[in-house]
Amino acid sequence: MNLPTWITVSRLMAIPLVFGLLASPSPSTNNRWWAVVVFLLAACTDWLDGYLARRLNQVTDLGKFLDPLVDKLLVLAPLMVLVQLGTVPAWGVFLILARELTIAGWRVGQATITGANMWGKVKTVVQIVAIALLISPISQQYPLPALSIFWLAVGLTWWSGLIYLTARKVTGKS
């Protein structure tokens, strides 16, 4: 494994930490802020591993497969805790999960693994912003802005999935 792939794998280590900070019996304000910091640092490694892979000419099929998978885990783990805490509705998270599993399943059957398109990247950024806001203690006082961005993320998640699938059909990459 090369450096960018190791960075991708290291992002996995943040998931149990964020999960633990949020899932404690009574998540304190400090725990929530620490969860935001850890989550955002982990999310930034997504940019870093991609940058290094391109810069060092170390783009691999393993990296193209692992990176979106780890991204999905990084997004879905805190969302599941937020469902448990009653912050977001389970059916909204299910819509994100359904799209992510559909695209992941689609990619597994492909001869050539393609990276995320622009809409997929926008979707990921909006998901990260929404989760960071929902995790933060600010969302407990002002839930509407965080929930609005969450629903925007749900919409973009589905939109980017439709774009991804229809682009494959149009270009003949099935």
Side-chain angles (χ1 to χ4, degrees), residues 18 20-22 24 26-36 135 137:
V18 170
L21 287 166
L22 291 175
S24 62
S26 59
S28 70
T29 300
N30 285 341
N31 279 5
R32 284 183 168 258
W33 281 122
W34 279 113
V36 170
I135 289 172

Side-chain angles (χ1 to χ4, degrees), residues 54-74:
R54 289 184 297 276
R55 177 106 168 136
L56 301 173
N57 197 26
Q58 295 182 350
V59 176
T60 64
D61 281 345
L62 177 61
K64 285 193 268 184
F65 173 77
L66 280 180
D67 185 65
L69 178 63
V70 172
D71 290 346
K72 287 164 186 31
L73 292 173
L74 184 65

Side-chain angles (χ1 to χ4, degrees), residues 3 26 41 53 58 61 69 74 108 111 118-119 128 142-143 152 154 158 169 173:
L3 177 61
S26 59
L41 285 173
Q58 295 182 350
D61 281 345
L69 178 63
L74 184 65
V108 168
M118 181 206 54
W119 285 105
I128 288 167
Y142 306 102
L152 176 63
V154 170
W158 274 78
K169 286 185 178 187
K173 296 179 183 177

Side-chain angles (χ1 to χ4, degrees), residues 102-164:
T102 300
I103 298 301
W106 179 275
R107 283 182 174 157
V108 168
Q110 303 303 303
T112 304
I113 300 171
T114 58
N117 62 27
M118 181 206 54
W119 285 105
K121 292 177 185 199
V122 169
K123 174 261 316 178
T124 300
V125 169
V126 174
Q127 285 177 341
I128 288 167
V129 169
I131 291 166
L133 287 173
L134 288 164
I135 289 172
S136 78
I138 295 169
S139 70
Q140 294 172 322
Q141 294 175 341
Y142 306 102
L144 190 57
L147 283 173
S148 298
I149 295 173
F150 168 75
W151 288 112
L152 176 63
V154 170
L156 282 171
T157 298
W158 274 78
W159 177 252
S160 68
L162 289 172
I163 297 291
Y164 184 86

Side-chain angles (χ1 to χ4, degrees), residues 4-5 7-12 38-54 63-64 66-72 74-75 116 120-125 127-128:
T5 304
I7 292 170
T8 299
V9 171
S10 74
R11 188 162 54 251
L12 281 171
V38 171
F39 176 76
L40 289 175
L41 285 173
C44 287
T45 67
D46 184 31
W47 171 83
L48 179 63
D49 63 22
Y51 172 78
L52 289 174
R54 289 184 297 276
K64 285 193 268 184
L66 280 180
D67 185 65
L69 178 63
V70 172
D71 290 346
K72 287 164 186 31
L74 184 65
V75 165
K121 292 177 185 199
V122 169
K123 174 261 316 178
T124 300
V125 169
Q127 285 177 341
I128 288 167

